[in-house]
Amino acid sequence: SQTIHQWPATLVQPVGSPLSLECTVEGTSNPNLYWYRQAAGRGLQLLFYSVGIGQISSEVPQNLSASRPQDRQFILSSKKLLLSDSGFYLCAWRKTGGNQPQHFGDGTRLSIL
Amino acid sequence: AQSVAQPEDQVNVAEGNPLTVKCTYSVSGNPYLFWYVQYPNRGLQFLLKYITGDNLVKGSYGFEAEFNKSQTSFHLKKPSALVSDSALYFCAVSLDNYGQNFVFGPGTRLSVLP
């Protein structure tokens, strides 16, 4: 069966510090991968998605970036965090095909001080 | 462009009563529809999906959803609510494989009162 791992679960960082969040998927090949941010326990904001290694599409211009160095690895990064980057970050994967659901990791709670 | 609406921010229901969480969608083709549940500090969990065929779809934890093409709706239902069903529920729609065409609704918070 397929599993998705996100780490760390919680992170407290000062303003201006760098960020690296990692997401890996097991048990499937060539998944579509997604990064979302969720503020205040409500709606999801799609940040990045990837349909293959090195292929990243950005949905929202900001100081975050994403990379996919391996087929089942998706990394969210920032060189300098802002207070507004606080939130709950979720990674998801999906098999190819419009009728396939997305499957989510357990998220990273990021607090910027 | 696709869009999903969940007209109620909050739904309150007494334990043992039936529950409905509403979802309407707008797409330019035949949709694939999904429901997810999110518990505090957890990721979204997939509950059920509609692809084609029977308009009543059964999913996990006793949930079901009814697809209504004429009303462009996909409401989530459960015959008898449990306190443990209290969570945030998301409806989503997809048309094809591409990442940008998987759209989530804003979410509905369900509170089941004992």
Side-chain angles (χ1 to χ4, degrees):
Chain A
S1 64
Q2 300 93 355
T3 56
I4 178 169
H5 303 280
Q6 267 189 262
W7 66 93
T10 60
L11 189 60
V12 180
Q13 293 284 94
V15 169
S17 63
L19 173 73
S20 181
L21 301 181
E22 190 162 342
C23 172
T24 59
V25 180
E26 296 177 358
T28 189
S29 296
N30 196 31
N32 291 345
L33 295 171
Y34 308 83
W35 277 112
Y36 291 90
R37 178 166 60 203
Q38 185 179 31
R42 289 312 299 265
L44 300 175
Q45 179 186 31
L46 178 63
L47 301 175
F48 301 95
Y49 68 93
S50 172
V51 298
I53 295 174
Q55 300 178 62
I56 309 294
S57 295
S58 174
E59 291 293 298
V60 182
Q62 57 208 327
N63 69 320
L64 299 172
S65 62
S67 61
R68 184 171 177 174
Q70 300 180 44
D71 182 44
R72 291 168 289 177
Q73 184 185 28
F74 205 24
I75 297 172
L76 182 69
S77 303
S78 175
K79 292 182 179 178
K80 285 187 177 181
L81 286 167
L82 306 173
L83 282 174
S84 58
D85 291 324
S86 292
F88 191 48
Y89 288 81
L90 291 160
C91 181
W93 72 273
R94 182 189 189 196
K95 289 182 180 179
T96 55
N99 62 358
Q100 297 296 320
Q102 291 189 10
H103 301 277
F104 286 78
D106 275 338
T108 295
R109 175 77 57 191
L110 176 63
S111 299
I112 310 300
L113 303 180
Chain B
Q2 299 159 234
S3 66
V4 179
Q6 293 181 241
E8 299 157 318
D9 286 344
Q10 173 91 34
V11 171
N12 297 322
V13 63
E15 187 175 27
N17 282 3
L19 70 87
T20 299
V21 183
K22 296 180 181 177
C23 172
T24 59
Y25 64 90
S26 174
V27 299
S28 57
N30 291 320
Y32 304 117
L33 295 156
F34 307 84
W35 273 104
Y36 289 81
V37 60
Q38 185 183 28
Y39 298 100
N41 296 312
R42 300 296 301 273
L44 279 67
Q45 295 179 31
F46 168 64
L47 281 178
L48 52 81
K49 68 179 179 182
Y50 171 81
I51 302 173
T52 187
D54 194 348
N55 289 341
L56 186 63
V57 179
K58 294 189 183 295
S60 306
Y61 312 119
F63 283 95
E64 57 190 26
E66 187 170 9
F67 173 67
N68 187 317
K69 189 173 183 178
S70 63
Q71 296 185 9
T72 62
S73 67
F74 188 56
H75 300 332
L76 182 70
K77 300 181 179 183
K78 188 174 183 181
S80 178
L82 301 173
V83 172
S84 57
D85 292 329
S86 299
L88 191 55
Y89 290 82
F90 291 95
C91 182
V93 63
S94 171
L95 273 183
D96 56 35
N97 175 50
Y98 298 106
Q100 69 269 34
N101 286 323
F102 199 105
V103 177
F104 285 90
T108 297
R109 188 164 300 282
L110 172 68
S111 292
V112 181
L113 308 173

